[in-house]
Amino acid sequence: MARREKGGFWVGLAAVLFYPLTGIARRVFVGAEKIPRQGPALLVMNHISHLDPVVDAVFVHRQKRVPRFLYKESLQRAPILGPIVSGSGQIPVSRGSAAAGDSLKAAHQALEEGKIVVIYPEGTITKDPAGWPKESFTGAARLALQNDVPVIPIARWGTNQLFNGYTKKFTPFPRKTITHSVGDPIDLSAYRGGNTRSASKLREVTKVMMDEVTRLLGEIRHEEPPSAKPGDPA
């Protein structure tokens, strides 16, 4: 049995705070055993609610791993979350600044050190009224092609029903169900040769990843995903 990855004081504090918070919903995990219990991996996920990072952090932590998220740099100034995200080794993103590229460098380093990195290619919660993934950025593809690590698609559904990011409505009752479905690692071997910085290749890899996330989401929802191309980057 694999040992739990050590996270230190701040990860422990986050667990004390986040586990009870996520306990207000029923949790369903499908394929969680596909997350490596040791070594690096890139987890590629959809984004439907501002609660996602908290819920996803607990999900990954339950698999005995410490997740590293890319998060908005402004969170560092938040009263409670600020010290937690800084102290637990999360990766700040300074959008629209000269330092924006440093976040990917830090994510590369985390993967090189054998960590789990969680990324939402959409960059923000989906603007699709039905909650399907929309246009995505290519940062996840860059990480996937420049690091020979498992790239694991994960779909999550239910957090948007608990907290709607656009109406700001929190609806804990009746009790909601939050489901995570983990897919098999995506085979990107056909894309790893040649110029891994090619814009067209990055767009194609982004689509491959997000199409798989969307397929998993369709299975959770028991619905056919829309025919639009959710993986096409902005």
Side-chain angles (χ1 to χ4, degrees), residues 14 17-27 45-60 67 69 72 75 81 118 120 124-126 156-173 175-180:
L17 295 174
F18 293 169
Y19 270 70
L21 177 60
T22 61
I24 64 177
R26 289 182 291 268
R27 306 299 306 279
M45 306 185 70
N46 64 315
H47 200 3
I48 53 176
S49 170
H50 296 300
L51 289 180
D52 291 344
V54 171
V55 170
D56 297 341
V58 170
F59 168 67
V60 175
F69 288 83
K72 294 180 181 179
L75 277 180
L81 283 179
V118 181
Y120 304 122
T124 186
I125 60 175
T126 179
R156 172 238 318 96
W157 187 248
T159 48
N160 53 323
Q161 299 166 351
L162 187 61
F163 180 73
N164 187 305
Y166 293 104
T167 65
K168 308 301 180 185
K169 187 176 181 181
F170 180 62
T171 312
F173 302 107
R175 196 181 188 202
K176 306 300 186 291
T177 297
I178 298 174
T179 302
H180 283 82

Side-chain angles (χ1 to χ4, degrees), residues 29-41:
F29 302 152
V30 179
E33 71 282 354
K34 297 175 184 178
I35 295 179
R37 296 308 189 260
Q38 58 185 2

Side-chain angles (χ1 to χ4, degrees), residues 14 25-26 60 86 91 95 113 202:
R26 289 182 291 268
V60 175
S86 298
I91 302 168
R95 291 180 179 173
E113 293 174 353
L202 290 173

Side-chain angles (χ1 to χ4, degrees), residues 42 44 104 119-121 137-145 205-206 209:
L42 180 64
V44 180
L104 282 186
I119 190 167
Y120 304 122
F137 296 96
T138 59
R142 292 175 186 271
L143 289 173
L145 292 183
V205 170
T206 300
M209 294 190 297

Side-chain angles (χ1 to χ4, degrees), residues 140-157:
R142 292 175 186 271
L143 289 173
L145 292 183
Q146 295 173 29
N147 296 274
D148 190 10
V149 302
V151 178
I152 302 175
I154 304 177
R156 172 238 318 96
W157 187 248

